[in-house]
Amino acid sequence: MAVALGNDAAGAAGMTISCFSMSPRSLSVEEAHQLLSSMMPAPLDIEAVALHCALERVLACDIVSPINVPAYTNSAMDGYAMAWQQGNYRFRLVGVALAGHGFAGPLNPGECVRVTTGAPLPEGADTVVMREQVELNGNDVIVLAPEKVVPGQNVRQAGEDICQGQTALTQGTRLKPQHLGLAASLGMAVLKVYSRPRVALFSSGDEVRAPGTPLAEAQIYDTNRFALHGLLTKLGAEVIDLGILPDQEGKIRDALQAASTQADMIITSGGVSVGEADWIKTVLCELGDIGLWRIALRPGRPLAFGHIGSVPFFGLPGNPVAVMVTFIQFVQPMLRHMMGQRDWYPQRFMAIADEPMHSRRERIDYHRGIFRCDEQGQLHVRTTGAQGSNILTSMVRANCLIEIDEHHEQVAVGERVTIQPFGELT
Ligand code: AMP
Ligand code: MG
């Protein structure tokens, strides 16, 4: 089966994605991104969720404010509210306005009321003087340093945060605690968000065993399913954990076919290289339109991507660091797109290399790094040490990926390199 993509990226790479026909050369990371962008599934359905369940969900429509925030002009301080008159420093105290309880009636010139923070400013008042900056003399309030008073000070104007009718939050926003607070401040109790993607997850390999069971000779514990479970959960996906697939064509076929009826995306790890036990690709050729991509990056060179039915499928490499790196670079953007998130890009900074680093021309290397900020505010970065794609302690020690681009074979001490700080996921 062959899928002619007919897009610029495929053209640029000189390839048609067919079942495991290797492209004549490796795709650059950029080309792989372009190909994936051209195959983004539509965002998922929309559902309504209670505000307190909306954290990390993606807003499915703009939120236009039905009210002014603040709804009324109010005091920013505990003190005294008056209509400020230049040259006057003595005001007659005529009442009190508390948060939740306004002062009935307008203020006349020369009068003031005691106010607490958040109290509605009485009609006629425009300025608040802090309690510490006045002296009381009977029923009079004496402002101690009137020359320092700025008319309008310590007052929050109605609508100064958000005006009624203004777009307060936009479609495609991933909701963080501050967004939930803002939505609450508009009185919204329910938000429309995109559904969470259901992601079916398999590990593969005869040597791979679940933690909690004893290991026989030549077996290893399943690392990838748990790292991927964590990444997916943090991203807001619903994980359908389907365990470990043996290196057996029939079992893999049945499992993947079944998964494609219940998931919005399928992810496997292992079995996508060219070894004799690497069945994933054979099975996928029968089930769907799948290409095996050689991508010019390390770790994570072999990556299978395609569809089983209409369900996108990622066959990630087997080595645990390669799994995490390829998830972060390639799976994450597609899941975010399916969740409706807009305008997301991985964060990148420049940092000074504190040790020499090696790479190869025409491929991007993602070293695991530790960055820090010196006293001058300059970022520095060093690697975590050994960089094998199986050495998961490199991810554990790291707080960033160091991205050494295609044009560099090495980075000398003192040179600037790009880093991707570990962000929301890692
Ligand atoms: P493969 O591509 O299946 O040949 O796997 C490449 C390497 O990754 C081999 O050393 C595998 O044993 C290892 N590997 C594959 N799957 C896992 C897993 N789920 N957890 C840890 N290591 C794995
Ligand atoms: Mg394997």
Side-chain angles (χ1 to χ4, degrees), residues 33-57:
H33 278 303
Q34 281 180 33
L35 273 171
L36 287 173
S37 301
S38 72
M39 291 186 277
M40 287 287 176
L44 297 165
D45 291 340
I46 292 169
E47 63 191 34
V49 297
L51 194 53
H52 62 268
C53 299
L55 190 65
E56 297 298 337
R57 304 294 295 270

Side-chain angles (χ1 to χ4, degrees), residues 204-208 247 269-272 277-278 318:
S204 78
D206 282 347
E207 77 282 29
V208 180
D247 289 320
S269 67
V272 292
D278 293 338

Side-chain angles (χ1 to χ4, degrees), residues 199-218:
V199 180
L201 182 59
F202 294 99
S203 290
S204 78
D206 282 347
E207 77 282 29
V208 180
R209 284 286 175 279
T213 55
L215 278 191
E217 211 185 325

Side-chain angles (χ1 to χ4, degrees), residues 104-127:
L107 276 189
N108 297 309
E111 294 178 342
C112 71
V113 291
R114 189 156 55 79
V115 290
T116 57
T117 306
L121 218 64
E123 197 186 323
D126 58 16
T127 299

Side-chain angles (χ1 to χ4, degrees), residues 203-204 207-208 220-225 269-273 278 317-320:
S203 290
S204 78
E207 77 282 29
V208 180
I220 58 166
Y221 282 124
D222 183 358
T223 307
N224 297 341
R225 203 154 37 97
S269 67
V272 292
S273 357
D278 293 338
N319 279 307

